[in-house]
Amino acid sequence: MEAILFDLDGTLVDTEPLWIRSQRHLANQFGIKWTRQDEISLVGHSMSYVAAKLQDRGVDMDAETIIASRIKYVSLQLQGKAPWKVGAKQLLSTIRERNIPCALVTMSPRPIVDEILRTIPSDTFDVRVTGTDCIYGKPHPEPYLRALDRLGIAATHSMAVEDSCAGVESAERARLPVAIVPSQTAVPAAPGRFHLTSLQELTSPSLMDHIGINMTVPQTTEFQ
C-alpha cells in the first residue's frame, strides 16, 4: 500500500450531527416531519443529492439556496472550531511523518473544508477533493478517482477510510479497499472491507501488516 485516502465528515471529524441538524432545521421551517431514517439515508451523499431529497419532501427552495442555507448553518455551529475524532490528529501526523501520500476525499463544500483544515498543518494532505470539485458526488466513484489521479497512484496500491455506505460504495467503485470507522450508519461486512473500532486502530501494527501499509519505514517515492 502506497497511499491512504480519507473521508472527512464522520470519519475524521464529528460533523455529521451538524449536517443532519441542518436538514432537520430546513424541514422544520416547512412543517415537514423529518425522521431518523430520513437522516441516516442521506449520510455521506453530495450536497446536491440532499438538496433534491429535501425538495422532494416539500422544502420550497431552489437547490442553491438549500445548499447555501446548510453551509451557513454548519459554519455557525463550528464557529472556527473543528470537532476532530479521537486519534484523528495523531493518525494524520503519523502518516505525514512516514511520508505516506495522503488525500482528503469529502462531499463537504470547500468553504467548510477550508475552515476545518485551518486547525491542522497545511501540508497534512497532498491532495484535497471536495464536493465543490466534483460533478458527481458519492456514491459515484468520481471523487476517489479524482484523488487517485492527482496522487498518481493506482487504486490497488491505496486504501480509503470511510464511515458511510455512500462513501464506501464510492471508494469500492473506484476499486479501493476500505477501512470503516464507526459513525452514524452501519456499513455491512463484505470482502475488501476492514471494520475498525476507532481511528486509533489504524496505527495497530497487526492491522497495518494485514492491509500492507508500512507505518514504520518512510516511503521513498515522492508524489505531487
Side-chain angles (χ1 to χ4, degrees):
M1 287 289 175
E2 296 176 358
I4 305 180
L5 297 81
F6 285 96
D7 173 52
L8 183 64
D9 298 289
T11 299
L12 293 174
V13 291
D14 193 21
T15 46
E16 283 293 3
L18 301 181
W19 290 111
I20 286 172
R21 289 205 293 270
S22 75
Q23 301 167 18
R24 193 182 308 131
H25 177 71
L26 283 168
N28 289 342
Q29 286 185 39
F30 289 88
I32 300 164
K33 183 180 179 181
W34 199 249
T35 68
R36 179 62 176 166
Q37 184 55 44
D38 290 324
E39 296 168 354
I40 293 300
S41 69
L42 299 179
V43 170
H45 284 275
S46 68
M47 297 287 285
S48 58
Y49 180 89
V50 175
K53 291 300 181 182
L54 286 165
Q55 288 175 321
D56 289 345
R57 292 293 300 279
V59 174
D60 189 16
M61 295 178 174
D62 59 55
E64 291 76 12
T65 302
I66 290 174
I67 292 170
S69 174
R70 296 187 68 216
I71 292 173
K72 181 179 179 180
Y73 182 93
V74 171
S75 183
L76 288 173
Q77 296 298 312
L78 286 173
Q79 295 183 336
K81 299 178 182 179
W84 290 94
K85 297 188 76 169
V86 174
K89 285 186 176 182
Q90 296 89 331
L91 173 60
L92 293 172
S93 177
T94 299
I95 289 170
R96 296 310 297 156
E97 289 171 3
R98 303 296 183 258
N99 294 323
I100 299 171
C102 185
L104 183 69
V105 185
T106 175
M107 287 298 88
S108 282
R110 194 177 301 135
I112 294 292
V113 174
D114 290 345
E115 186 173 344
I116 291 172
L117 295 189
R118 276 198 291 269
T119 62
I120 58 174
S122 59
D123 65 346
T124 298
F125 295 101
D126 299 282
V127 165
R128 303 176 185 181
V129 175
T130 73
T132 308
D133 304 318
C134 298
I135 298 172
Y136 302 104
K138 300 174 185 178
H140 194 280
E142 180 192 349
Y144 279 103
L145 291 174
R146 280 183 179 270
L148 288 167
D149 182 63
R150 293 178 187 178
L151 285 170
I153 301 176
T156 52
H157 296 157
S158 309
M159 180 183 71
V161 184
E162 273 283 355
D163 74 301
S164 70
C165 291
V168 170
E169 182 180 343
S170 174
E172 289 180 337
R173 290 173 69 185
R175 303 301 178 89
L176 286 157
V178 190
I180 302 161
V181 297
S183 188
Q184 296 287 322
T185 58
V187 179
R193 296 178 182 177
F194 304 89
H195 283 264
L196 309 176
T197 57
S198 71
L199 283 171
Q200 292 169 305
E201 193 180 351
L202 267 178
T203 57
S204 164
S206 60
L207 178 66
M208 291 299 96
D209 288 344
H210 179 64
I211 295 175
I213 293 179
N214 190 334
M215 291 292 277
T216 58
V217 180
Q219 301 287 325
T220 57
T221 304
E222 293 184 0
F223 298 92
Q224 299 298 320

